Amino acid sequence: MHLVARTLLAGSCDAESPLFKLDGQADLLGRIWRYVILAWAHELLEERISTQSGGADDIAFAHVDNVSFPQPKGRNVNMMPFVLGDRTTLPEELHDYWPMIATCLETLPDEELLRVGYLTVHESEVRAGASQRRGGLHTEGFVREACDASGGGGDGRCLHAPHWHRWGLGRAMDHGRFEGGIFLASTLSDTTQLYNVRVPPTLVGRGGDLDHLRPTLDVQSEPGC
């Protein structure tokens, strides 16, 4: 058991402890514990950032190239599968995007071109101050919680240890060369804030949420766009 958690629980049950005032205050204990977890997360993240050496293993994102977008036509597809190196596996109405895709493919090993990729295109008007897609600070992946049940719902049973799954399973082989991963492009500059930090999986929240780490990231890491 975590040392602080054991101290809180034991102290709340010990009449000789100042923490005994928390006896029966489950809501307050829960709030204190959330603050402890948050402080622990920030400490781990600060340590991770301070030990980054700038090598390939520390690259979380990199700028590939500037690109030109085709004229918008209201297209909206989500994770459409296609063979990375074969334009004919895309519907003809998406061929306008092939020059952009080809620019990304130049950073991948040749054997990657035989694999299946997933294309998302979202052409729409966006209100000022709003997000076109998911807002908030997050990473592209998800945590499968220990008590998540397949098929939704769940009865609280722990089915397996929590584990982290990152979309694209990407990694940097060297500066400018990658294996797998996600390529992202936007028609508007300075509208997406990115941090070049590989966050430890234990700190990633449900659905990839990282908003709880924003204060540390803002202080410890230079954002890029």
Side-chain angles (χ1 to χ4, degrees):
M1 180 183 288
H2 193 285
L3 178 60
V4 176
R6 183 170 58 193
T7 301
L8 283 171
L9 292 174
S12 66
C13 298
D14 183 357
E16 301 298 320
S17 171
L19 295 174
F20 186 66
K21 293 182 179 180
L22 298 174
D23 182 38
Q25 304 292 325
D27 290 347
L28 185 55
L29 276 170
R31 177 172 292 189
I32 293 172
W33 178 239
R34 285 193 293 273
Y35 280 123
V36 170
I37 290 294
L38 186 60
W40 170 72
H42 286 293
E43 182 178 322
L44 283 182
L45 183 59
E46 288 175 356
E47 181 181 353
R48 177 70 181 90
I49 293 173
S50 68
T51 57
Q52 288 189 157
S53 63
D57 289 340
D58 291 323
I59 296 176
F61 83 92
H63 177 255
V64 173
D65 204 349
N66 295 325
V67 294
S68 298
F69 280 77
Q71 287 296 314
K73 300 177 182 178
R75 289 167 285 201
N76 191 350
V77 298
N78 187 56
M79 294 191 69
M80 176 176 288
F82 72 104
V83 178
L84 289 173
D86 187 353
R87 186 178 71 160
T88 65
T89 59
L90 278 177
E92 188 171 340
E93 57 266 31
L94 294 174
H95 284 189
D96 289 351
Y97 280 93
W98 188 255
M100 295 175 61
I101 296 171
T103 298
C104 299
L105 297 181
E106 290 175 0
T107 69
L108 301 176
D110 290 342
E111 56 269 23
E112 290 276 295
L113 305 186
L114 300 176
R115 300 182 65 179
V116 173
Y118 298 88
L119 177 66
T120 294
V121 175
H122 191 171
E123 299 176 348
S124 68
E125 295 184 1
V126 183
R127 290 184 294 104
S131 297
Q132 184 188 41
R133 298 182 66 80
R134 177 179 179 178
L137 184 61
H138 62 277
T139 188
E140 294 298 339
F142 65 92
V143 173
R144 180 76 175 186
E145 301 287 356
C147 295
D148 283 351
S150 59
D155 56 8
R157 291 180 297 114
C158 289
L159 305 179
H160 48 67
H163 65 276
W164 162 250
H165 179 87
R166 63 191 190 278
W167 295 125
L169 300 175
R171 69 181 183 91
M173 299 169 63
D174 200 350
H175 291 280
R177 301 293 296 175
F178 306 97
E179 181 180 36
I182 297 174
F183 293 95
L184 172 70
S186 174
T187 57
L188 294 177
S189 300
D190 300 325
T191 56
T192 300
Q193 185 166 307
L194 303 171
Y195 295 88
N196 195 18
V197 176
R198 293 176 63 105
V199 177
T202 52
L203 304 186
V204 179
R206 184 180 293 272
D209 178 65
L210 293 177
D211 260 325
H212 57 291
L213 300 177
R214 188 186 294 273
T216 301
L217 287 168
D218 284 340
V219 172
Q220 298 289 332
S221 178
E222 281 289 328
C225 294

